[in-house]
Amino acid sequence: MQVLKRSGKSSGAFIAFIAAVVLTLPVSAHAADDPTPGSSKGGSPGPAAPADVKITTELPVKITVKNKSEQTTVTAKVKNSGSKDSGPITLSVVGFDGMRITGVEGCMPIPEARLPQGSNSGFACVIDNLAAGKDRSYQVAATFDLQKTGKICLPVTVGTSEKLIWQQGPVPFGASQPTPNAPDTPLLLGTENVPFGPQKPPAAELPRTGPPDGTLPLALAALALLVIGGTGIWWTTRSER
């Protein structure tokens, strides 16, 4: 199983900053049940999942996108169904393709250089502890380009480390029957979106000059590592099964 993961050494100062800022923000996460049914579809435990702490996440089975503004809201829930408290954990909310995460209450944006490969946006929510049998819900603001497909991913790691204990997604939201003339478009979890509306033309391909295929991407990757100073976080993704 390929999971969303990070490798390499993270900047201690950066992690400390994120933890300090998030923990001092007003508490906007809540434990109340959301009226929309939730689902852990597309989720599975990570290699660092402890035996007595059963961490899972849930996404609503249905969301609604405003056709004019392309705005939507999502409730992301993290649960501890185990028999012991979780201790410090971090929930991340990451957007892919046509789905862009614009805000998560009480959480900090993930810097662009540290986003998972292929993603366009993300927020990190540091949780000091999640007691056994408890859950927390986070209100997520997002946009969804209905001319594209869109996915969301919820990885959970131990503390501010890179040890993955759970990951949901990247799982798609979508509509199999678009409603371009309606004010809103309902999207279902686990459904690939069927784009509608005027399709954006593909970018014109520039004349190829310089090194052969494969050389330039590797060179750019090496340059990125140098710019980040060796503290970059590399992620890989898996498709929904």
Side-chain angles (χ1 to χ4, degrees):
M1 176 184 67
Q2 284 187 308
V3 294
L4 190 66
K5 62 183 179 180
R6 301 178 250 189
S7 61
K9 295 182 178 179
S10 302
S11 168
F14 171 78
I15 294 297
F17 170 78
I18 288 292
V21 172
V22 172
L23 291 176
T24 57
L25 289 173
V27 178
S28 53
H30 54 278
D33 291 334
D34 190 85
T36 303
S39 171
S40 295
K41 186 172 186 176
S44 59
D52 298 325
V53 180
K54 186 179 179 182
I55 297 295
T56 58
T57 58
E58 284 187 359
L59 290 165
V61 296
K62 177 182 177 181
I63 63 174
T64 301
V65 176
K66 298 182 183 300
N67 285 347
K68 288 187 177 180
S69 65
E70 296 186 334
Q71 294 180 338
T72 186
T73 57
V74 180
T75 299
K77 180 180 290 186
V78 57
K79 302 169 59 178
N80 180 5
S81 301
S83 58
K84 292 185 178 180
D85 291 3
S86 70
I89 57 175
T90 298
L91 167 70
S92 296
V93 183
V94 185
F96 290 82
D97 304 326
M99 190 167 192
R100 179 177 294 273
I101 310 303
T102 58
V104 181
E105 290 182 325
C107 305
M108 292 294 296
I110 299 172
E112 184 176 354
R114 297 172 179 271
L115 285 172
Q117 181 180 358
S119 68
N120 56 46
S121 53
F123 283 74
C125 311
V126 178
I127 302 170
D128 57 351
N129 182 60
L130 191 58
K134 299 296 183 179
D135 62 71
R136 289 193 187 185
S137 295
Y138 293 86
Q139 295 305 308
V140 179
T143 59
F144 197 105
D145 186 346
L146 294 168
Q147 296 182 20
K148 301 178 180 178
T149 59
K151 296 180 180 179
I152 189 171
C153 188
L154 302 180
V156 182
T157 52
V158 177
T160 53
S161 74
E162 301 168 355
K163 298 178 180 179
L164 187 69
I165 56 179
W166 170 265
Q167 179 181 315
Q168 184 175 9
V171 62
F173 273 106
S176 57
Q177 295 181 341
T179 55
N181 297 323
D184 304 311
T185 294
L187 302 182
L188 299 179
L189 181 67
T191 301
E192 287 285 349
N193 190 51
V194 176
F196 73 85
Q199 302 300 302
K200 299 176 182 177
E205 186 174 356
L206 297 175
R208 297 188 178 185
T209 60
D213 291 346
T215 305
L216 186 58
L218 289 175
L220 290 176
L223 178 60
L225 281 176
L226 290 175
V227 171
I228 297 172
T231 62
I233 298 176
W234 296 91
W235 302 51
T236 60
T237 61
R238 65 176 174 84
S239 299
E240 180 198 10
R241 297 184 183 273

